[in-house]
Amino acid sequence: MTSISKSTLDFLKLLKANNNREWFNEHKAEFEAEQKKVKGFYNSIMEQLKTHDLIENVKIFRIYRDIRFSPDKTPFKPHFAGHFTRATNKLRGGYYLRIRPGESFLAGGFWEPNKEDLLRIRKEFETDVSEIRAIVNAPDFKKHFGKLQGNAVKSAPRGFDKNHPNIDFIRFKQFIVTREFTDEEVLSPNFLREVMDSFLAMRPYLDYMSEVLTTNLNGESLID
């Protein structure tokens, strides 16, 4: 599959309006048909990603929600989503795409870096941000993503100077890039190309962060 069908968005709209097990079980065959189409689309993305990056696999997330600890007890996610994992321990980060009527987007980066990775990134930014600034200010990056996003501490992380000239980057505790799509864009025959163009624009950022997270501050590899 090289495009998203209107029937997929229509099914997801109906699921959102009828988010209960009885309705879902009555329409299970429709769900499976739309899921098969979407999996084909994600597999097309993976094959194209493999032409310019090392991709280990694609994971299509289950539509069933874990409601055990959530105040929202609706049992299903009214969207399809998948994550493309980069291969080998030298390549960090990954690519993500969600298809949801009115709320579709792609993303990549580092949502919840562990404390060691977070400290390593911040130490890199404390030392030098010239390369990351050049990446996020590049025209292709700004065209697709606008800016680097993610939650940040209000002042400065512990052990860092709040008046440091690079504090705007040091404050981040997530390092994410996103691009949103309208339903019209999702249903366009050019959607696959737009997704791929965005993932290509993301690649320099992921490669830079991979290099940071696999070396020490002297640039020496931490990977055997």
Side-chain angles (χ1 to χ4, degrees):
M1 289 286 294
T2 58
S3 61
I4 295 294
S5 300
K6 183 177 182 297
S7 60
T8 298
L9 295 190
D10 289 343
F11 173 82
L12 291 172
K13 289 175 184 177
L14 287 171
L15 176 59
K16 184 176 182 179
N18 302 274
N19 200 329
N20 61 78
R21 290 182 176 83
E22 181 179 7
W23 184 91
F24 186 83
N25 289 335
E26 290 174 357
H27 295 81
K28 189 72 173 290
E30 296 169 49
F31 161 70
E32 291 174 345
E34 299 306 330
Q35 183 186 51
K36 183 177 180 180
K37 295 178 192 175
V38 170
K39 284 184 175 180
F41 183 77
Y42 278 78
N43 285 332
S44 295
I45 294 174
M46 182 172 68
E47 291 308 309
Q48 292 206 23
L49 276 173
K50 284 181 175 180
T51 66
H52 71 82
D53 202 351
L54 294 177
I55 302 298
E56 182 176 311
N57 59 42
V58 55
K59 177 182 179 181
I60 307 296
F61 295 104
R62 288 164 52 85
I63 203 163
Y64 306 95
R65 295 184 62 249
D66 183 354
I67 61 174
R68 291 174 297 172
F69 308 107
S70 173
D72 179 1
K73 298 302 181 182
T74 52
F76 306 103
K77 307 168 190 171
H79 63 252
F80 291 106
H83 180 264
F84 304 86
T85 303
R86 304 178 85 200
T88 81
N89 56 2
K90 292 184 178 180
L91 298 177
R92 305 289 294 274
Y95 308 92
Y96 175 86
L97 175 66
R98 185 180 83 173
I99 304 299
R100 179 171 180 160
E103 301 177 50
S104 297
F105 71 93
L106 60 75
F110 305 83
W111 281 262
E112 294 181 343
N114 61 45
K115 63 179 183 179
E116 292 82 9
D117 284 352
L118 182 57
L119 179 61
R120 174 67 186 91
I121 293 167
R122 284 172 168 167
K123 284 293 186 182
E124 183 71 24
F125 291 167
E126 183 181 46
T127 302
D128 181 21
V129 294
S130 59
E131 191 168 352
I132 185 64
R133 285 197 193 279
I135 289 170
V136 301
N137 287 325
D140 204 33
F141 184 97
K142 292 176 75 69
K143 171 187 173 184
H144 288 90
F145 310 118
K147 61 181 180 179
L148 184 65
Q149 300 179 43
N151 293 333
V153 298
K154 292 182 178 180
S155 178
R158 181 174 298 183
F160 292 86
D161 179 4
K162 66 179 181 180
N163 296 314
H164 193 284
N166 303 338
I167 195 62
D168 55 330
F169 278 90
I170 296 170
R171 289 176 57 245
F172 279 109
K173 54 185 180 181
Q174 296 177 315
F175 308 88
I176 306 165
V177 296
T178 65
R179 178 184 176 185
E180 298 177 350
F181 294 97
T182 65
D183 290 352
E184 290 75 17
E185 289 172 323
V186 169
L187 296 177
S188 166
N190 297 322
F191 183 52
L192 178 59
R193 182 70 266 156
E194 290 296 322
V195 169
M196 290 309 306
D197 285 348
S198 295
F199 285 162
L200 277 168
M202 194 186 300
R203 176 74 183 278
Y205 168 68
L206 294 181
D207 286 349
Y208 165 79
M209 294 291 275
S210 293
E211 183 177 359
V212 169
L213 291 170
T214 57
T215 60
N216 60 26
L217 278 172
N218 293 322
E220 299 163 334
S221 177
L222 301 174
I223 304 298
D224 295 331

